Amino acid sequence: MDPDAVKSTLSNLAFGNVMAAAARDYQKEIVAKEKAQAASASHDEVDLDELLDDPELEKLHAERIAALKKEVEKREVLKRQGHGEYREITEGDFLGEVTGSEKVICHFYHREFYRCKIMDKHLKTLAPVYLGTKFIMLDAENAPFFVTKLGIKTLPCVILFKKGIAVDRLVGFQDLGSKDDFSTRALENILKMKGIIDEKKKDEDDEDDETDMSMNRRIRSSTAQDSDSE
């Protein structure tokens, strides 16, 4: 047999094998792409009815509703205890107020002291924001017994109570740079550092409520459209 003819035959066989392998690889790539497109299309065409009937989604929704209900009930209890506003109390109310809530901020003030009015302004701003803490004020002139018992000598004096125990205090503006023009945020940060306010802010709760309301509106809208189509 002609050696050149043998080489030519072997070369043709090798080329044929390469082409066949390339064809198989190309076919595999096409099949893979078709499967990926089919999977993508199936994700895009999710039936809302199937989602609404999904037991896992129903469980998550029920848990969210239960958590929201519990939070609303907790807020109502706190409001009944005087949380959510900056209130003035009397000496006779003092013990009941500071022992009736887990966290209490009490401002001992004097009606004629300018710095007491500054402190009032900032505490009034923070009271509705941090529902977990009770904010109250007590006229020091009309509460001589507790002024003496608590060793209050400088006004304004803001005393922080946890479970009925005085755990810390702000005397004058010493912790606020000893300046009259401190910001509400500065006072807020100090109170956070001292652990007397630490709950989520009201505006953050409102964002969660908006999210839940939006989700409920979408579900109700979808349900209404299904009813109309029937």
Side-chain angles (χ1 to χ4, degrees), residues 48-60:
L48 182 59
D49 289 335
E50 293 180 2
L51 285 178
L52 294 176
D53 293 336
D54 190 312
E56 288 297 323
L57 182 60
E58 290 181 1
K59 180 182 177 182
L60 289 173

PDB file of all heavy atoms in Angstrom, residues 48-60:
ATOM      1  N   LEU A  48     -49.750  33.436  40.437  1.00  0.00           N
ATOM      2  CA  LEU A  48     -49.956  34.048  41.748  1.00  0.00           C
ATOM      3  C   LEU A  48     -50.838  33.179  42.625  1.00  0.00           C
ATOM      4  O   LEU A  48     -50.650  33.106  43.837  1.00  0.00           O
ATOM      5  CB  LEU A  48     -50.588  35.436  41.580  1.00  0.00           C
ATOM      6  CG  LEU A  48     -50.808  36.224  42.878  1.00  0.00           C
ATOM      7  CD1 LEU A  48     -49.482  36.431  43.604  1.00  0.00           C
ATOM      8  CD2 LEU A  48     -51.457  37.569  42.587  1.00  0.00           C
ATOM      9  N   ASP A  49     -51.809  32.497  42.002  1.00  0.00           N
ATOM     10  CA  ASP A  49     -52.683  31.611  42.782  1.00  0.00           C
ATOM     11  C   ASP A  49     -51.883  30.510  43.458  1.00  0.00           C
ATOM     12  O   ASP A  49     -52.148  30.122  44.597  1.00  0.00           O
ATOM     13  CB  ASP A  49     -53.749  30.990  41.876  1.00  0.00           C
ATOM     14  CG  ASP A  49     -54.794  32.006  41.440  1.00  0.00           C
ATOM     15  OD1 ASP A  49     -54.966  33.002  42.177  1.00  0.00           O
ATOM     16  OD2 ASP A  49     -55.413  31.814  40.380  1.00  0.00           O
ATOM     17  N   GLU A  50     -50.855  30.006  42.733  1.00  0.00           N
ATOM     18  CA  GLU A  50     -50.020  28.962  43.324  1.00  0.00           C
ATOM     19  C   GLU A  50     -49.234  29.504  44.501  1.00  0.00           C
ATOM     20  O   GLU A  50     -49.051  28.830  45.514  1.00  0.00           O
ATOM     21  CB  GLU A  50     -49.063  28.411  42.268  1.00  0.00           C
ATOM     22  CG  GLU A  50     -49.757  27.639  41.148  1.00  0.00           C
ATOM     23  CD  GLU A  50     -48.771  27.120  40.121  1.00  0.00           C
ATOM     24  OE1 GLU A  50     -47.554  27.347  40.331  1.00  0.00           O
ATOM     25  OE2 GLU A  50     -49.197  26.494  39.146  1.00  0.00           O
ATOM     26  N   LEU A  51     -48.767  30.766  44.390  1.00  0.00           N
ATOM     27  CA  LEU A  51     -48.038  31.378  45.491  1.00  0.00           C
ATOM     28  C   LEU A  51     -48.945  31.557  46.698  1.00  0.00           C
ATOM     29  O   LEU A  51     -48.550  31.309  47.836  1.00  0.00           O
ATOM     30  CB  LEU A  51     -47.478  32.733  45.060  1.00  0.00           C
ATOM     31  CG  LEU A  51     -46.251  32.705  44.139  1.00  0.00           C
ATOM     32  CD1 LEU A  51     -45.848  34.119  43.765  1.00  0.00           C
ATOM     33  CD2 LEU A  51     -45.088  31.994  44.801  1.00  0.00           C
ATOM     34  N   LEU A  52     -50.171  32.027  46.447  1.00  0.00           N
ATOM     35  CA  LEU A  52     -51.099  32.279  47.553  1.00  0.00           C
ATOM     36  C   LEU A  52     -51.488  30.983  48.253  1.00  0.00           C
ATOM     37  O   LEU A  52     -51.816  30.989  49.433  1.00  0.00           O
ATOM     38  CB  LEU A  52     -52.350  32.997  47.033  1.00  0.00           C
ATOM     39  CG  LEU A  52     -52.134  34.417  46.507  1.00  0.00           C
ATOM     40  CD1 LEU A  52     -53.426  34.974  45.934  1.00  0.00           C
ATOM     41  CD2 LEU A  52     -51.618  35.321  47.609  1.00  0.00           C
ATOM     42  N   ASP A  53     -51.465  29.884  47.497  1.00  0.00           N
ATOM     43  CA  ASP A  53     -51.829  28.593  48.082  1.00  0.00           C
ATOM     44  C   ASP A  53     -50.637  27.867  48.683  1.00  0.00           C
ATOM     45  O   ASP A  53     -50.789  26.787  49.241  1.00  0.00           O
ATOM     46  CB  ASP A  53     -52.465  27.695  47.005  1.00  0.00           C
ATOM     47  CG  ASP A  53     -53.821  28.238  46.544  1.00  0.00           C
ATOM     48  OD1 ASP A  53     -54.437  28.973  47.342  1.00  0.00           O
ATOM     49  OD2 ASP A  53     -54.229  27.947  45.401  1.00  0.00           O
ATOM     50  N   ASP A  54     -49.458  28.455  48.553  1.00  0.00           N
ATOM     51  CA  ASP A  54     -48.248  27.821  49.076  1.00  0.00           C
ATOM     52  C   ASP A  54     -48.310  27.796  50.602  1.00  0.00           C
ATOM     53  O   ASP A  54     -48.400  28.846  51.247  1.00  0.00           O
ATOM     54  CB  ASP A  54     -47.021  28.617  48.619  1.00  0.00           C
ATOM     55  CG  ASP A  54     -45.719  27.872  48.939  1.00  0.00           C
ATOM     56  OD1 ASP A  54     -45.584  27.408  50.084  1.00  0.00           O
ATOM     57  OD2 ASP A  54     -44.864  27.776  48.051  1.00  0.00           O
ATOM     58  N   PRO A  55     -48.250  26.611  51.218  1.00  0.00           N
ATOM     59  CA  PRO A  55     -48.345  26.526  52.684  1.00  0.00           C
ATOM     60  C   PRO A  55     -47.232  27.266  53.413  1.00  0.00           C
ATOM     61  O   PRO A  55     -47.430  27.817  54.483  1.00  0.00           O
ATOM     62  CB  PRO A  55     -48.288  25.014  52.958  1.00  0.00           C
ATOM     63  CG  PRO A  55     -47.685  24.417  51.723  1.00  0.00           C
ATOM     64  CD  PRO A  55     -48.133  25.283  50.592  1.00  0.00           C
ATOM     65  N   GLU A  56     -46.033  27.278  52.813  1.00  0.00           N
ATOM     66  CA  GLU A  56     -44.916  27.986  53.442  1.00  0.00           C
ATOM     67  C   GLU A  56     -45.175  29.491  53.467  1.00  0.00           C
ATOM     68  O   GLU A  56     -44.909  30.166  54.456  1.00  0.00           O
ATOM     69  CB  GLU A  56     -43.616  27.695  52.685  1.00  0.00           C
ATOM     70  CG  GLU A  56     -43.080  26.287  52.894  1.00  0.00           C
ATOM     71  CD  GLU A  56     -42.716  26.026  54.347  1.00  0.00           C
ATOM     72  OE1 GLU A  56     -42.203  26.952  55.007  1.00  0.00           O
ATOM     73  OE2 GLU A  56     -42.958  24.909  54.831  1.00  0.00           O
ATOM     74  N   LEU A  57     -45.705  30.028  52.338  1.00  0.00           N
ATOM     75  CA  LEU A  57     -46.016  31.456  52.276  1.00  0.00           C
ATOM     76  C   LEU A  57     -47.137  31.801  53.247  1.00  0.00           C
ATOM     77  O   LEU A  57     -47.094  32.833  53.923  1.00  0.00           O
ATOM     78  CB  LEU A  57     -46.418  31.848  50.848  1.00  0.00           C
ATOM     79  CG  LEU A  57     -46.723  33.328  50.622  1.00  0.00           C
ATOM     80  CD1 LEU A  57     -45.494  34.171  50.952  1.00  0.00           C
ATOM     81  CD2 LEU A  57     -47.155  33.582  49.185  1.00  0.00           C
ATOM     82  N   GLU A  58     -48.137  30.928  53.323  1.00  0.00           N
ATOM     83  CA  GLU A  58     -49.243  31.149  54.254  1.00  0.00           C
ATOM     84  C   GLU A  58     -48.738  31.160  55.698  1.00  0.00           C
ATOM     85  O   GLU A  58     -49.181  31.970  56.519  1.00  0.00           O
ATOM     86  CB  GLU A  58     -50.299  30.065  54.073  1.00  0.00           C
ATOM     87  CG  GLU A  58     -51.067  30.165  52.761  1.00  0.00           C
ATOM     88  CD  GLU A  58     -52.122  29.087  52.638  1.00  0.00           C
ATOM     89  OE1 GLU A  58     -52.258  28.281  53.595  1.00  0.00           O
ATOM     90  OE2 GLU A  58     -52.811  29.036  51.609  1.00  0.00           O
ATOM     91  N   LYS A  59     -47.789  30.268  55.985  1.00  0.00           N
ATOM     92  CA  LYS A  59     -47.218  30.208  57.333  1.00  0.00           C
ATOM     93  C   LYS A  59     -46.466  31.487  57.653  1.00  0.00           C
ATOM     94  O   LYS A  59     -46.624  32.062  58.746  1.00  0.00           O
ATOM     95  CB  LYS A  59     -46.283  29.006  57.446  1.00  0.00           C
ATOM     96  CG  LYS A  59     -45.641  28.853  58.821  1.00  0.00           C
ATOM     97  CD  LYS A  59     -44.684  27.674  58.848  1.00  0.00           C
ATOM     98  CE  LYS A  59     -43.997  27.563  60.202  1.00  0.00           C
ATOM     99  NZ  LYS A  59     -43.024  26.442  60.235  1.00  0.00           N
ATOM    100  N   LEU A  60     -45.642  31.972  56.683  1.00  0.00           N
ATOM    101  CA  LEU A  60     -44.891  33.203  56.890  1.00  0.00           C
ATOM    102  C   LEU A  60     -45.830  34.383  57.074  1.00  0.00           C
ATOM    103  O   LEU A  60     -45.612  35.246  57.926  1.00  0.00           O
ATOM    104  CB  LEU A  60     -43.964  33.463  55.697  1.00  0.00           C
ATOM    105  CG  LEU A  60     -42.751  32.537  55.556  1.00  0.00           C
ATOM    106  CD1 LEU A  60     -42.026  32.813  54.243  1.00  0.00           C
ATOM    107  CD2 LEU A  60     -41.795  32.728  56.725  1.00  0.00           C
TER     108      LEU A  60
END
